[in-house]
DNA sequence: TGTACATCAGTGAACGCGCGTTCACTGATGTAC
DNA sequence: TGTACATCAGTGAACGCGCGTTCACTGATGTAC
């Protein structure tokens, strides 16, 4: 019993240190950009020697890979939660809830947004499988859910679509079609386009390109959403 | 006479080397990402010693600043040219021409797009004035031109707008209002939103987030444009 | 036209720095009898 | 409960590397008389 408890303590300590390494890395990135993620800087911040980190991550790229996966998951959690929380509402409100969760997360975690959607950390080589395919797909499926929720109300307003299943990669369809069997190819295209709209405004804002244009990006984003649900024929 | 000609030769050589430094830097960035822009790598590529570059640029950050300004100008040139070339067409076609020029330029110069709109080069500190405000404003004014061209046909279809001039920064308005005196605040908001749409899809594509989703981002982009001009009430 | 001088692009060696990573180790924490 | 041993988180010193930048210089190109 003592044995298991003390083993538990070691494990807990280990988990805590691992978490601290990751959060320190993100903090560094927040204040110093993506190139601030260095083992030495993290160690310095934590008051340890650089080599101590090798007890937790085999290599710097391993740490970055984990970081990307973690951050992506956090984003997916945030938008999924907003989606679930709005289950009682109509499609227009749900889309707005999702979109605001997306933007709010990005504003609260700009370094995470850059890590996931921007340039890679200098010198970073992703492992063979590609980074964080899991959470990336969760986000994609989430956006497909937006399109699916809107689709039945909006379809008539749409031009007869020239899209077919061949216009999308099997990897995407393998997730989306089982989840939303009624969504036609044009609906998937709509999902990607909605993604583009949201990504565009948010990334302009995160990267500071809206500074100097408007003091109220918030208002602009809301207006974009109103217009979006309006153009889908949904009533807010 | 011989004097001026030979002086001219020196100047020409100097200009050529300067241009070669810049193009080499962009080439390096193209193949190796933003962190590949190092004086030593450029010099290596050009077969000179690193310190030779100090004859052309006072500092590495100077080079990067010039690079950003150059690239931004090239982008502005490309979209302005497309706009001018479509002067005979209706707003829908002109918007599409502009948008395609934007995307085509980005696809042809992905490293430039990243340089201008993405994370900064590692370790780079922009000079006080901010980088390339000139070309950045040209692009903004270009987008305002899209909105202005569409505005008179589209206005009725728009919701009564809640935007006022206070929703935009004076710097932007100082350029836009004189150029497009008939464009109301909601029109400027529209311009920023259009920018967001285009930026979103293009940057997703440039950063590889559309890979694994669709094999034909081209089609998706065209569909987005059709939908955009459609939602503006314009006929293509 | 010919010679003495100025310009200036580029060289070669060196600096100090922060980086990722390796190695042999120490010392506290936990385990077995 | 007490002792001998195993585990393992973290240390300290060191490596080789590529980086930006400085310095004193060379040698070809251009200029003045």
């Amino acid at each position: 019993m003592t044995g298991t408890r003390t083993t538990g303590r070691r494990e807990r300590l280990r988990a805590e240190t691992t978490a601290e390494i990751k959060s320190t890395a993100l903090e560094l990135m927040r204040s110093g950009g993506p190139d601030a993620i260095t083992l030495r800087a993290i160690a310095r911040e934590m008051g340890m020697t650089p080599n101590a980190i090798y007890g937790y991550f085999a290599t710097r790229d391993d740490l970055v890979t984990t970081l990307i996966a973690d951050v992506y998951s956090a984003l997916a959690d945030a938008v999924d939660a907003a989606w679930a929380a709005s289950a009682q509402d109509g499609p227009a409100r749900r889309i707005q809830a999702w979109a605001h969760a997306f933007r709010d997360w990005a504003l609260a975690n700009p370094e995470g947004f850059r890590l996931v959607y921007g340039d890679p950390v200098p010198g970073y080589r992703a492992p063979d499988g590609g980074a964080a395919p899991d959470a990336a797909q969760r986000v994609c499926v989430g956006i497909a859910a937006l399109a699916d929720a809107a689709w039945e109300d909006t379809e008539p307003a749409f031009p007869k679509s020239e899209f077919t299943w061949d216009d999308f990669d099997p990897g995407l369809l393998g997730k989306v079609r089982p989840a939303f069997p009624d969504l036609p190819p044009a609906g998937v295209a709509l999902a990607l386009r909605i993604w583009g709209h949201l990504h565009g405004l948010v990334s302009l804002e995160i990267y500071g390109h809206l500074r100097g244009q408007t003091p109220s990006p918030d208002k602009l984003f809301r207006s974009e959403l109103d217009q979006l649900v309006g153009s889908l024929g949904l009533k807010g």
Side-chain angles (χ1 to χ4, degrees), chain A residues 109-123:
Chain A
N109 304 276
E111 72 290 344
F113 185 87
R114 286 165 185 249
L115 194 59
V116 168
Y117 289 119
D119 276 316
V121 175

Side-chain angles (χ1 to χ4, degrees), chain A residues 83 86-97 149-150 153 234-236:
Chain A
W83 186 250
S86 68
Q88 314 291 356
D89 297 327
R93 288 184 90 88
R94 294 196 82 185
I95 289 174
Q96 287 171 325
D153 294 327
L234 307 174
K235 277 288 156 206

Side-chain angles (χ1 to χ4, degrees), chain A residues 35-126:
Chain A
D35 49 315
I37 301 185
T38 71
L39 295 184
R40 298 190 99 103
I42 294 166
R44 218 177 293 131
E45 204 72 18
M46 292 178 66
M48 357 164 55
T49 50
N51 27 13
I53 295 179
Y54 286 86
Y56 299 87
F57 296 93
T59 201
R60 190 202 67 140
D61 282 8
D62 262 39
L63 167 59
V64 173
T65 302
T66 306
L67 231 40
I68 292 175
D70 274 24
V71 162
Y72 223 145
S73 289
L75 167 58
D77 289 346
V79 291
D80 282 357
W83 186 250
S86 68
Q88 314 291 356
D89 297 327
R93 288 184 90 88
R94 294 196 82 185
I95 289 174
Q96 287 171 325
W98 194 98
H100 277 114
F102 180 74
R103 174 165 175 268
D104 289 346
W105 183 90
L107 290 178
N109 304 276
E111 72 290 344
F113 185 87
R114 286 165 185 249
L115 194 59
V116 168
Y117 289 119
D119 276 316
V121 175
Y124 174 65
R125 286 269 125 212

Side-chain angles (χ1 to χ4, degrees), chain A residues 114-156:
Chain A
R114 286 165 185 249
L115 194 59
V116 168
Y117 289 119
D119 276 316
V121 175
Y124 174 65
R125 286 269 125 212
D128 289 348
D134 188 49
Q137 287 209 331
R138 277 177 66 201
V139 174
C140 279
V141 171
I143 294 169
L146 304 192
D148 184 64
W151 191 253
E152 60 177 291
D153 294 327
T154 199
E155 190 166 9

Side-chain angles (χ1 to χ4, degrees), chain A residues 1-14:
Chain A
M1 193 147 85
T2 312
T4 40
R5 193 169 37 192
T6 45
T7 299
R9 172 137 71 127
R10 265 202 184 159
E11 273 165 15
R12 186 161 36 80
L13 239 73
R14 192 176 172 79

